Amino acid sequence: MDLNSASTVVLQVLTQATSQDTAVLKPAEEQLKQWETQPGFYSVLLNIFTNHTLDINVRWLAVLYFKHGIDRYWRRVAPHALSEEEKTTLRAGLITNFNEPINQIATQIAVLIAKVARLDCPRQWPELIPTLIESVKVQDDLRQHRALLTFYHVTKTLASKRLAADRKLFYDLASGIYNFACSLWNHHTDTFLQQVSSGNEAAILSSLERTLLSLKVLRKLTVNGFVEPHKNMEVMGFLHGIFVRLKQFLECSRNIGTDNVCRDRLEKTIILFTKVLLDFLDQHPFSFTPLIQRSLEFSVSYVFTEVGEGVTFERFIVQCMNLIKMIVKNYAYKPSKNFEDSSPETLEAHKIKMAFFTYPTLTEICRRLVSHYFLLTEEELTMWEEDPEGFTVEETGGDSWKYSLRPCTEVLFIDIFHEYNQTLTPVLLEMMQTLQGPTNVEDMNALLIKDAVYNAVGLAAYELFDSVDFDQWFKNQLLPELQVIHNRYKPLRRRVIWLIGQWISVKFKSDLRPMLYEAICNLLQDQDLVVRIETATTLKLTVDDFEFRTDQFLPYLETMFTLLFQLLQQVTECDTKMHVLHVLSCVIERVNVQIRPYVGCLVQYLPLLWKQSEEHNMLRCAILTTLIHLVQGLGADSKNLYPFLLPVIQLSTDVSQPPHVYLLEDGLELWLVTLENSPCVTPELLRIFQNMSPLLELSSENLRTCFKIINGYIFLSSTEFLQTYAVGLCQSFCELLKEITTEGQVQVLKVVENALKVNPILGPQMFQPIFPYVFKGIIEGERYPVVMSTYLGVMGRVLLQNTSFFSSLLNEMAHKFNQEMDQLLGNMIEMWVDRMDNITQPERRKLSALALLSLLPSDNSVIQDKFCGIINISVEGLHDVMTEDPETGTYKDCMLMSHLEEPKVTEDEEPPTEQDKRKKMDWWRINLEMLVLEQTRLAC
C-alpha cells in the first residue's frame, strides 16, 4: 500500500466509519476489515493518528484499528503477519514524539506501545526503555507527562508476563532502572509538596499527576521486579519512605478543598501508597517482615486513635484495615503447633506481631471497632427511613458493599477476635454485661451502642460458644426486647432478630424453636419494612438449620407463608423480591407436601411477577427456583400450573432466546422436576422437547440434566415420546458418541438402556443406528470397565427381551466384520464371559446371566461350546443376588419383590414422585418377565 496515495483513501474511509448513518458506516467498516491484512495499512494509520490537525474521532478510530492489528497480526506466527521491515518502521514512529494533546488518545497510544513492548521488548526493541527514560527527563510538561504515561503502561505490561524467561528479563530491567524510577518519583513528589502551599491549582494538579504516574511505575517494579526484594536497599528504602510520604500527603489534604479534581487525585495517590504495601505483603510476606511493626503502628494510629481525625477518609481507612487484617491472617506469619517445625522467618514475624498486639492495644482496637465503627451513622439511619429496601441491600452486600467501611470493619473484627479470642472474649462479655435489661427509647445513643455490641456478639458467635449461655440470654433478654414495639426501638428489633439468626446454628435449643417462631410471626407484621426483611432472613437460616423439625414448624406455617407472601407483594426492588422469594423457596422445600393448602395465592401471583420481571433475568432465576420447589411440593397437582409453567420452561431452555444465558440451568431443573411429578404426558409437555436437540449440540455442563430429562420422558410415555422424537434423538446421540467423554458415553447408553427396559419392542427399532456401535465395542473389548458394563447391559436387554432384533443385528454385524454369524456370536459370548467382572451392579450381573442363559436352549454348537463359561458366570451372578430370609432361613433373590406393600416414608424423607412410582411399576413388570424367563429356562 503506497503511503502517499493510500493516506487520503484511508482517511476518507475512517471518516465514513465515524458516521452515525449505518448506510455509510457498514461499507466503511467492511473496507477497513479488508485492509487489515494489507502491507502498509498500519503505517498509514500511524500517520493519521499522529496528525494532530485531523478530526479527533477519526484519529481515535485509527488508534483503535492499530491496537487491534497488534493483537491479530504483530506476532511472527500469526496469519497475514506484518513484515519485519514495517514493524521496525512502526516501532520507530511510535516513540518519535510524545506530544499527543488529547488525553484519551494519549492513553490509547500508551496502551498500544505497551502491547508491542510485550511482544518485542527488549530483544527487538532495545531502544524503547532508554528513549522513555530520556523523554521523562525533558522540561516540556506535555512530553514529560505522555512519556511518563507510556512508561507506566509499558512497565505494567512487562510486569504481567509470567514465563520464566520473561520474568528474568523483567528482573534485569527493574534492577537497571529502579534507582532512576525512585529519583523520578521523589522529584515529582517534592515538587508537589512545594506547590501545595502556593495555591496554584493547575500546577498542583500537574505535579500530582506526575507523582501518581511515577508511583504506579514504582509499584510494578517493587512488587514484581525482584526475587528477594528485602536484600535490595533501594527497595526497602522506598517502602520505609512510604510511611513518611503518607503522613505528608495526609497533612496536605487539610490544605486542599474537598470538592475538586486535586482532592480526587490526592486521595488516589494516598490509596496507591497503601496498595503498594498491600501488594508487596501479598507477594513477598517474608520480605515484608521488617515493615510489620511500622505498618501496624501507622495503621492503628490513624484508624483507632485521634491522630487520624480530620485527615483520613473512608477508602483510606478501609485500606489500613485491610493491611492490619492481612498481617493478622497471613499464614506465613503463623508458626506450627510445634514451634520447632517453624521457619526462623515465620517465628520472627510472629514475634513482631505478638509484641505489637498487647492486651491494651487489642482492647482499644476492639472497643473502638464496636463503639465507633459499628455504630449506625446518620446517613445510614436516613437511608433506612427514606429507602428501606436500598438500606437492606447495602447491609446484605450490594454493589458497593465490597469497598464500603462497614463490612471491612466487621471482617477485621472477626479476624482479630478469632486470632486473639482468649484476650478479647472477656472484653466483649463485659460490654454485654453493661447492657443488660431494657434501654430507654429516648436515648438514641444508648440504643445504637447496644445495636453495635449485639452486632459484635453475632459476628463472634462461634468464638463465644463456650462463654455465652445463649438460651438463657434469648429467654431473659432478647425475647423481651423483640416485644418492644416503639418506633425508635426498631434498630434493636432488627439487630436482635439478626443476632438470633447468627446463633441459630451455633447454640440454640430445639425446645426454644416454637418461642422463636412465635416471635418471627409477630415481627413479620412489624410496622418497619427493614425489620420484616431481616426477620425473613432469620427465618431462612432457621429452616435451613440441621436441627429444624417440621412438626414444630407446622403450627406456624400458614401464618408465616401468608406474611411472607404479603412481604413479597409489598417490596418493589428486584434484589429484595429475589431475597423474599428465596426465603419462600426454602420454606416450601423444607415442608414439602405440607405446603399444598397454602400456595394458592403465590401460584396466582407468580405469572404476574414473571411478566413484570421481563428485564430482570436474575429475578426470573429466583422465580424458577421457587417454581422448582413448588412443583416438588405439589407433586401430581403441579399439572394445574402447566398453563404458566410450560411456557416458562419453553422460554428458559430455548437457546435461540437471549435470556437462556441466565435461565437455562434453573429452567432445565424445572423441566426435570415437572416431568418427575407429572401424572401423565400432555401435548404441550411433549412439544417443549423440541428445545432438546440444540441443547445436546451445546455439549455444556448441563448435559447430565438433559439426559435425565430424556429419561423422564421415556418413563412418562415411552411409546408416544419415541415415536415423535426418537429419530432426531438418535441422530444427536450418534454425533455425541463421536466426541463425548467416557462419562457422557455412559449417560447416552443409559438412556438407550432405559428405552429398551421400558419399551422392549419399540426401543430397539428407534435406536437401531446405535447398536452397531455397542456391538463393536463389545467385540473389540472396550478398555473402560464402566463403558463395557453399559455396553453389556444394553446388549443384554436386546438379547433377553427382543430375540428377533438381536438375530438381525448379529446378521448385520457379520456382514460388516466379514465373518460368519456363528463365529461372531462365539467371539461376543467369549468376550462377554471374560469381561463379566467389569459389571459391578447386581442388577446388571443378573441381566447378563439371564441373557446368556437364554441362548442355551439353542442346539448351536458354538453356544454349546461356551456352556461351561455361561453356567459359571450364571452361578456367580446367582450368588451375588441371593440373600438369606431371616424368617424362613432359606435363600431368595433380593432383586425380586414379594408383595406390593408401599414402604413407609419417614418425616425426614421426601415422598415418592410420580416418576418414582412409574419406575416401581416398570420394576415389577421387568421382574415378572425375568421370573417367567427363569422358570422357562428351568423347564428347558
Side-chain angles (χ1 to χ4, degrees):
M1 182 179 282
D2 179 63
L3 293 186
N4 293 327
S5 59
S7 292
T8 305
V9 178
V10 173
L11 180 59
Q12 182 181 358
V13 175
L14 281 170
T15 305
Q16 293 170 348
T18 61
S19 171
Q20 299 297 315
D21 185 354
T22 54
V24 178
L25 173 66
K26 292 296 181 184
E29 288 180 336
E30 288 298 321
Q31 181 61 68
L32 290 168
K33 189 177 181 68
Q34 293 175 18
W35 283 338
E36 282 182 356
T37 56
Q38 291 293 314
F41 176 61
Y42 295 96
S43 298
V44 173
L45 291 178
L46 176 63
N47 289 339
I48 290 173
F49 70 70
T50 54
N51 186 344
H52 304 160
T53 62
L54 298 176
D55 180 74
I56 293 174
N57 292 325
V58 172
R59 295 173 57 225
W60 170 264
L61 196 58
V63 172
L64 293 184
Y65 269 94
F66 193 105
K67 190 170 70 170
H68 295 325
I70 295 170
D71 293 331
R72 295 173 185 169
Y73 309 114
W74 197 274
R75 296 179 188 272
R76 283 176 292 178
V77 295
H80 310 292
L82 276 71
S83 67
E84 291 302 317
E85 293 77 13
E86 185 173 4
K87 287 199 288 186
T88 301
T89 304
L90 293 173
R91 283 193 294 259
L94 285 171
I95 57 174
T96 301
N97 289 299
F98 295 101
N99 57 354
E100 173 56 52
I102 307 300
N103 287 333
Q104 293 89 338
I105 295 178
T107 301
Q108 290 300 319
I109 292 173
V111 170
L112 68 86
I113 290 174
K115 283 179 174 290
V116 176
R118 183 180 184 88
L119 300 172
D120 290 356
C121 183
R123 293 186 179 91
Q124 287 81 35
W125 207 2
E127 66 273 17
L128 173 62
I129 300 299
T131 302
L132 289 172
I133 290 175
E134 289 303 314
S135 298
V136 297
K137 294 178 181 177
V138 299
Q139 296 303 309
D140 181 272
D141 283 352
L142 180 64
R143 288 191 61 197
Q144 187 186 70
H145 179 273
R146 298 319 190 211
L148 193 52
L149 178 67
T150 306
F151 192 23
Y152 160 61
H153 280 285
V154 169
T155 308
K156 176 184 175 182
T157 300
L158 295 179
S160 68
K161 300 179 78 172
R162 289 292 172 260
L163 293 178
D166 294 327
R167 302 298 308 140
K168 177 66 170 60
L169 287 172
F170 190 69
Y171 295 150
D172 294 341
L173 171 66
S175 299
I177 67 172
Y178 197 84
N179 183 48
F180 168 76
C182 280
S183 301
L184 186 68
W185 171 68
N186 277 313
H187 167 72
H188 288 305
T189 303
D190 289 337
T191 303
F192 161 71
L193 293 172
Q194 291 166 9
Q195 290 176 338
V196 168
S197 57
S198 70
N200 186 337
E201 190 170 317
I204 293 172
L205 184 60
S206 176
S207 60
L208 186 54
E209 185 69 31
R210 284 158 179 73
T211 301
L212 185 61
L213 284 172
S214 56
L215 182 57
K216 286 181 176 181
V217 172
L218 265 179
R219 177 191 179 192
K220 295 301 176 184
L221 294 176
T222 303
V223 175
N224 303 107
F226 300 90
V227 180
E228 296 178 309
H230 60 283
K231 295 181 178 180
N232 188 300
M233 292 180 62
E234 290 178 339
V235 172
M236 298 311 292
F238 162 68
L239 291 168
H240 280 289
I242 282 179
F243 301 102
V244 177
R245 292 302 196 186
L246 264 171
K247 290 180 180 179
Q248 292 173 336
F249 274 64
L250 286 167
E251 285 302 315
C252 285
S253 64
R254 298 182 190 273
N255 302 320
I256 295 178
T258 57
D259 268 339
N260 57 32
V261 179
C262 285
R263 178 74 185 200
D264 178 65
R265 281 287 182 272
L266 178 63
E267 291 189 357
K268 282 186 176 180
T269 307
I270 291 170
I271 293 303
L272 189 58
F273 280 125
T274 62
K275 285 182 177 180
V276 174
L277 295 172
L278 287 165
D279 289 351
F280 191 77
L281 171 57
D282 181 57
Q283 294 296 316
H284 308 282
F286 290 128
S287 294
F288 192 86
T289 300
L291 300 164
I292 292 176
Q293 177 77 19
R294 201 164 183 185
S295 297
L296 290 172
E297 289 174 350
F298 177 88
S299 299
V300 170
S301 66
Y302 272 91
V303 175
F304 297 109
T305 72
E306 293 74 18
V307 172
E309 290 182 6
V311 294
T312 57
F313 51 96
E314 185 171 301
R315 188 74 192 278
F316 172 72
I317 295 173
V318 168
Q319 292 293 92
C320 287
M321 288 186 174
N322 285 337
L323 188 58
I324 298 170
K325 181 184 70 176
M326 283 185 68
I327 293 172
V328 169
K329 286 187 66 178
N330 204 304
Y331 285 106
Y333 302 157
K334 292 185 178 182
S336 305
K337 289 184 178 180
N338 184 359
F339 266 54
E340 295 176 358
D341 296 334
S342 304
S343 67
E345 294 85 357
T346 298
L347 293 176
E348 182 187 356
H350 179 68
K351 182 180 178 181
I352 296 170
K353 277 174 55 180
M354 295 304 292
F356 178 82
F357 286 112
T358 59
Y359 176 80
T361 301
L362 286 170
T363 303
E364 182 59 28
I365 289 174
C366 178
R367 291 188 182 279
R368 184 82 170 175
L369 279 170
V370 176
S371 63
H372 179 73
Y373 289 106
F374 280 12
L375 292 181
L376 288 170
T377 64
E378 285 293 331
E379 292 80 4
E380 288 171 322
L381 292 172
T382 302
M383 188 178 187
W384 184 327
E385 294 296 333
E386 296 177 355
D387 182 14
E389 289 186 55
F391 173 84
T392 305
V393 171
E394 284 292 314
E395 284 284 298
T396 55
D399 291 339
S400 61
W401 186 85
K402 180 179 178 182
Y403 300 105
S404 63
L405 183 57
R406 178 167 298 281
C408 184
T409 59
E410 292 178 351
V411 171
L412 178 61
F413 174 82
I414 292 169
D415 291 335
I416 289 183
F417 205 95
H418 175 75
E419 190 74 13
Y420 304 102
N421 63 83
Q422 291 184 343
T423 303
L424 293 177
T425 294
V427 177
L428 188 53
L429 291 177
E430 181 190 342
M431 297 173 76
M432 284 176 58
Q433 195 63 38
T434 61
L435 298 173
Q436 293 300 313
T439 303
N440 184 357
V441 294
E442 301 301 326
D443 189 348
M444 196 63 190
N445 186 59
L447 291 172
L448 294 179
I449 288 288
K450 182 178 271 192
D451 173 86
V453 173
Y454 282 4
N455 187 13
V457 176
L459 295 173
Y462 286 97
E463 309 298 336
L464 295 173
F465 178 87
D466 294 322
S467 304
V468 174
D469 186 346
F470 191 79
D471 297 327
Q472 286 298 318
W473 197 39
F474 169 74
K475 287 189 293 184
N476 300 333
Q477 174 77 18
L478 300 181
L479 202 55
E481 294 206 277
L482 290 177
Q483 295 165 357
V484 180
I485 60 174
H486 196 284
N487 184 56
R488 299 190 68 177
Y489 218 78
K490 64 187 179 184
L492 271 183
R493 290 200 299 276
R494 166 185 166 268
R495 181 59 69 191
V496 168
I497 198 64
W498 170 88
L499 172 63
I500 294 168
Q502 302 309 298
W503 276 84
I504 198 76
S505 61
V506 178
K507 193 177 186 180
F508 196 83
K509 278 185 181 177
S510 178
D511 296 344
L512 298 177
R513 298 268 175 148
M515 296 171 66
L516 174 58
Y517 295 147
E518 188 74 39
I520 288 175
C521 287
N522 292 331
L523 288 177
L524 284 174
Q525 302 173 68
D526 196 279
Q527 293 182 352
D528 187 77
L529 182 59
V530 174
V531 174
R532 296 204 298 277
I533 293 171
E534 194 64 66
T535 304
T537 305
T538 297
L539 174 59
K540 176 189 173 297
L541 294 171
T542 306
V543 299
D544 271 348
D545 184 52
F546 180 73
E547 294 188 5
F548 173 81
R549 281 170 44 192
T550 308
D551 62 313
Q552 289 181 320
F553 187 72
L554 286 179
Y556 307 93
L557 174 59
E558 181 178 5
T559 302
M560 286 193 188
F561 197 84
T562 302
L563 293 171
L564 283 172
F565 174 66
Q566 291 173 0
L567 180 60
L568 176 65
Q569 289 181 301
Q570 182 183 355
V571 297
T572 56
E573 294 293 329
C574 179
D575 287 336
T576 321
K577 282 189 178 291
M578 286 169 55
H579 178 63
V580 179
L581 269 176
H582 191 45
V583 178
L584 280 165
S585 296
C586 290
V587 171
I588 295 169
E589 183 181 17
R590 291 311 297 263
V591 302
N592 206 283
V593 296
Q594 306 280 0
I595 199 65
R596 291 178 183 178
Y598 315 117
V599 296
C601 54
L602 181 63
V603 167
Q604 292 175 4
Y605 176 66
L606 285 179
L608 174 63
L609 184 59
W610 180 266
K611 186 176 181 181
Q612 292 173 342
S613 62
E614 190 171 357
E615 301 299 321
H616 303 282
N617 286 309
M618 298 312 295
L619 177 54
R620 285 194 160 185
C621 286
I623 297 172
L624 288 172
T625 303
T626 305
L627 285 171
I628 289 168
H629 296 307
L630 260 180
V631 170
Q632 290 171 329
L634 291 172
D637 292 342
S638 62
K639 185 180 178 182
N640 298 326
L641 300 181
Y642 282 5
F644 167 55
L645 198 61
L646 299 187
V648 167
I649 297 173
Q650 166 73 38
L651 174 69
S652 304
T653 60
D654 185 351
V655 297
S656 67
Q657 298 290 333
H660 90 273
V661 176
Y662 304 93
L663 309 179
L664 180 59
E665 185 174 351
D666 293 318
L668 286 172
E669 190 65 31
L670 178 59
W671 191 356
L672 176 60
V673 298
T674 300
L675 286 169
E676 290 174 341
N677 290 278
S678 177
C680 60
V681 74
T682 66
E684 295 78 16
L685 184 57
L686 194 63
R687 194 176 302 122
I688 60 175
F689 192 80
Q690 294 170 0
N691 285 0
M692 184 56 69
S693 182
L695 290 168
L696 293 176
E697 292 174 9
L698 283 178
S699 297
S700 66
E701 65 275 6
N702 296 308
L703 209 51
R704 183 187 292 273
T705 308
C706 291
F707 288 134
K708 289 180 180 179
I709 290 169
I710 297 167
N711 283 323
Y713 276 103
I714 289 172
F715 289 120
L716 180 61
S717 179
S718 62
T719 301
E720 195 172 355
F721 171 69
L722 291 174
Q723 286 175 341
T724 308
Y725 293 109
V727 175
L729 190 60
C730 189
Q731 291 175 353
S732 297
F733 280 179
C734 289
E735 291 299 317
L736 278 173
L737 288 170
K738 295 176 184 176
E739 55 188 27
I740 205 169
T741 62
T742 300
E743 184 185 359
Q745 292 178 41
V746 171
Q747 294 298 323
V748 169
L749 294 171
K750 280 184 177 178
V751 172
V752 177
E753 188 177 6
N754 284 329
L756 299 175
K757 187 190 300 184
V758 175
N759 202 321
I761 305 300
L762 195 58
Q765 298 172 10
M766 292 300 177
F767 290 106
Q768 186 169 4
I770 292 177
F771 289 103
Y773 176 88
V774 175
F775 200 103
K776 183 171 178 287
I778 295 173
I779 293 297
E780 295 179 352
E782 165 63 45
R783 64 193 181 98
Y784 291 107
V786 65
V787 179
M788 187 63 166
S789 171
T790 314
Y791 284 162
L792 296 176
V794 170
M795 198 55 63
R797 288 283 171 201
V798 174
L799 181 55
L800 190 60
Q801 297 176 203
N802 199 328
T803 311
S804 60
F805 181 82
F806 177 78
S807 298
S808 64
L809 176 63
L810 187 63
N811 184 44
E812 178 188 343
M813 298 307 295
H815 286 294
K816 187 170 184 177
F817 282 99
N818 198 23
Q819 294 182 16
E820 294 294 328
M821 283 181 62
D822 287 350
Q823 181 187 357
L824 192 61
L825 177 61
N827 293 341
M828 186 193 77
I829 296 173
E830 186 173 340
M831 184 61 70
W832 203 324
V833 171
D834 182 60
R835 300 295 290 275
M836 188 70 170
D837 288 341
N838 287 168
I839 307 174
T840 56
Q841 304 97 318
E843 180 187 357
R844 276 204 178 140
R845 290 180 68 83
K846 178 179 178 179
L847 174 67
S848 284
L850 287 173
L852 291 174
L853 283 170
S854 70
L855 296 171
L856 291 183
S858 170
D859 57 2
N860 188 310
S861 59
V862 172
I863 297 174
Q864 299 304 320
D865 289 343
K866 310 296 181 185
F867 179 84
C868 291
I870 293 173
I871 292 297
N872 185 44
I873 65 168
S874 299
V875 172
E876 288 180 2
L878 185 65
H879 280 296
D880 290 337
V881 300
M882 297 300 285
T883 57
E884 185 177 0
D885 188 336
E887 296 180 1
T888 63
T890 59
Y891 285 86
K892 65 177 183 179
D893 186 346
C894 67
M895 306 299 293
L896 289 174
M897 294 182 185
S898 56
H899 52 79
L900 281 167
E901 182 183 346
E902 289 281 345
K904 292 183 179 179
V905 179
T906 66
E907 182 184 317
D908 295 331
E909 293 178 327
E910 293 184 1
T913 64
E914 295 300 306
Q915 181 162 299
D916 293 332
K917 297 173 185 177
R918 287 190 286 271
K919 284 182 177 180
K920 192 168 185 179
M921 293 305 297
D922 288 332
W923 177 277
W924 266 101
R925 178 182 56 76
I926 292 163
N927 273 278
L928 186 60
E929 291 172 357
M930 286 188 172
L931 184 61
V932 171
L933 284 166
E934 284 181 280
Q935 292 173 344
T936 305
R937 305 296 170 248
L938 290 171
C940 292

